[in-house]
Amino acid sequence: MTEKYIAKDALGALITVVTSNGGRFVAPTLDARQVVYKEVTAAEAVVDVNDYILPRNSYKEIAFPQTEVLYKYELTRSGVDIDPVEVVARQTVVFGARPCEAASLASLNAVFTWDFIDEDFTKREESIVVLSVGCVNADDECFCTTVNLSPESTTGADVALYETENGYVATAITEKGTAFVEAHAGSFVDVAKGETKKTLATVEKVEGVDLTKLGERLAKTKNYDSPEWAELVRKCCGCGACTYSCPTCHCFDITDEGTAFEGERRKNWDACQFDHFTLHASGHNPRDTQYKRYRNRFMCKFHIYPTKFNSTGCVGCGRCIRVCPVRLDITDLMTAMSK
Amino acid sequence: MSNLYIPNLVTIEDVYEETPDTRSFRLVFKDEELREKFEFKTGQFGIYSAFGLGESTFCIASSPTRKGYIQCTYRKTGRVTNALGELSIGDTMGFRGPYGNHFPIEEWKGKNIVFVAGGIALPPVRSVIWNVLDRREDFGDVTIVYGAKTVADLVYKEELKHWDERPDVKLIQTVDPGGETDDWEGKVGFVPTVLEEAGVPAENTIAVVCGPPIMIKFCLNALGELGFSDEAVYTTLENKMKCGVGKCGRCNVGDIYICKEGPVYTATEIKAMYDDF
């Protein structure tokens, strides 16, 4: 598809059209003094693309909510009534997604669809239209190029936007993206002559990381007990912040809220960093110390996702580094494990 | 497919108090059509609901040769199992499954089978035992080595008695030292030791082992000493699970999802796994 152009001034009209057609428009906006992906109804609420590196939250929560009701139950005379919650996903446009993060939904999809299909996820995912914006700015925590993505990559984006002085040059990447651009021809117009894309940020590769070597090392079971794990991860306090902010972490819990008489069953985010996560009823815990839990997460990103799900486990967004209260840098582990 | 996580409703048709803290339920599906067509294979597991408290994972302890119901056995140790402990005949609970792989029992025809189980790990083995005993002529010698901490902790006491009386089954029961009673007629000693002392011939024999991780480890050694090849030794792993369908991220041992690729493995497969038990 040929390139199109959307003026920054035209964003408001696009939001109006999307929302008036019953869709949702999600964009970086301020919430509790932080830039987060959240539903907006007007262009004024959208934070300028140069005023943030990456929103605080991942937009995975659109397809995989922090908490969702699977069904309601009620005790009756004859037993129990179950009232399933039908997921009816409205079109959800994610504007301003960063290219790193855009790559993550496909990874989550791999987990939620291998063999058994989690339709709560797939229905919502199908409804998402990702409008990514190439990164003109990056910070010290960004490491997308180390995991083979970049400020301009289009993986997972439906429409890739690149900033110009007063707007964005838009390229539809997927059929869904093409359909979206065509359906909003009033907003996406021909590119005017002389419209120039801004220079994108340069993100240096982390020296010493070799994903092939890293993968090979993790694939060998004998390296699993290397004393390095405990040494490198000692300062991890097990708070799980990395997992909640990570766009590819998929762990969840299934739990009831209510009484034996009535209530609802929910699917809630969980984290492999907590000791009770794998604790057996007997008291035995296969991951009984923090380094084992960290090791599991690291394995998930750099061995399980790539080999089992043939997808990217880490998109290099750097959120886990930014939110870590003890300044544990995943790229340090990647470097150490590349040797 | 409807929502993956919505359970089928089952009625508790019978309750068996196995030990002071362990119970079995005989469950039937409320949906008559499902009751007729429900099938599972020996070694598969289910996820059971106590509404208001959540779900818990146990094997299906009955054999697919016994149709029309499923049996589960659980120890009251946590929130959900304690809630299940309050339920009685006629009550409703939830069941999702069957999930996981199964014991390749059809490949074992003509072979001798030795079952080795410890404590609350007899239920998954029970499914295989009855599957074999219900087609007794298809198999060679059947030996069952079962142990628990104390006499009171032995589950399925009626069935143990039945197996003990059967001429076509050799049952060896044991309790840990100190766990015996005055009238205890079985052995006193840990399962791996008793297994090794029993001297079960390895030739043309399949071993099915289930127990706590430490017991499995020592039993694999003991079977090795007896001359069993790792390919002839099967076990079933029971990691904590929530979804049962390879998504919630809990049960994996390295890159192996126990709920999807397991829970049944040969000793060869177990030994090739990451040390993440």
Side-chain angles (χ1 to χ4, degrees), chain A residues 73 80 111 114-116 118-120 218 224 250 252-253 256 265 270 276-277 279-280 287 296 303 308, chain B residues 1 3 5 9 49 52 54-55 92 239-240 242 246-247 249-250 252 254-255 260-261 274 276-277:
Chain A
Y73 62 85
V80 173
V111 176
W114 70 305
D115 197 355
F116 292 97
D118 184 329
E119 290 189 350
D120 293 346
L218 297 180
Y224 208 54
H250 64 84
F252 62 87
D253 193 5
D256 283 7
R265 181 151 294 170
D270 205 346
H276 64 255
F277 187 71
L279 179 64
H280 292 197
R287 299 179 204 147
N296 177 72
H303 176 63
K308 196 176 200 76
Chain B
M1 190 193 298
N3 190 303
Y5 309 107
L9 295 175
S49 287
E55 295 181 309
T92 299
N239 259 354
K240 184 167 177 179
K242 285 286 185 168
K247 318 220 178 287
R250 241 170 223 81
N252 61 308
D255 52 4
K260 282 271 283 102
E261 290 134 290
Y274 290 89
D276 200 10
F277 295 98

Side-chain angles (χ1 to χ4, degrees), chain A residues 128-298:
Chain A
I128 298 175
V129 183
V130 177
L131 310 185
S132 70
V133 175
C135 305
V136 171
N137 302 302
D139 67 11
D140 291 344
E141 287 82 17
C142 289
F143 64 98
C144 55
T145 51
T146 307
V147 292
N148 301 328
L149 292 165
S150 77
E152 65 174 335
S153 54
T154 58
T155 312
D158 294 303
V159 181
L161 305 178
Y162 298 97
E163 200 191 2
T164 66
E165 188 58 32
N166 296 309
Y168 305 91
V169 171
T171 307
I173 306 298
T174 60
E175 281 181 22
K176 197 197 274 180
T178 305
F180 183 80
V181 170
E182 284 170 358
H184 298 90
S187 300
F188 292 92
V189 297
D190 291 339
V191 187
K193 207 172 178 186
E195 198 65 48
T196 317
K197 294 178 190 172
K198 287 188 181 175
T199 307
L200 296 180
T202 305
V203 176
E204 299 291 344
K205 281 194 178 192
V206 176
E207 209 175 316
V209 175
D210 181 330
L211 288 183
T212 310
K213 277 191 190 164
L214 174 61
E216 284 168 3
R217 182 182 169 126
L218 297 180
K220 293 195 179 89
T221 53
K222 70 178 170 65
N223 294 330
Y224 208 54
D225 289 327
S226 160
E228 264 183 287
W229 287 108
E231 288 162 22
L232 290 164
V233 179
R234 187 154 288 133
K235 66 181 177 180
C236 176
C237 65
C239 69
C242 51
T243 66
Y244 293 124
S245 60
C246 177
T248 67
C249 273
H250 64 84
C251 291
F252 62 87
D253 193 5
I254 296 174
T255 186
D256 283 7
E257 283 184 18
T259 64
F261 301 102
E262 61 177 341
E264 52 198 26
R265 181 151 294 170
R266 285 178 172 267
K267 182 174 151 198
N268 296 334
W269 283 4
D270 205 346
C272 63
Q273 298 306 297
F274 301 140
D275 64 346
H276 64 255
F277 187 71
T278 49
L279 179 64
H280 292 197
S282 66
H284 173 72
N285 192 347
R287 299 179 204 147
D288 55 358
T289 52
Q290 190 52 35
Y291 86 85
K292 292 181 183 174
R293 301 190 275 272
Y294 189 95
R295 180 179 63 186
N296 177 72
R297 180 167 187 273
F298 193 82

Side-chain angles (χ1 to χ4, degrees), chain A residues 69 77 90 179 210 282 297 315 318-319:
Chain A
V69 179
R77 264 172 207 280
R90 292 186 285 154
D210 181 330
S282 66
R297 180 167 187 273
V315 295
R319 277 200 188 88

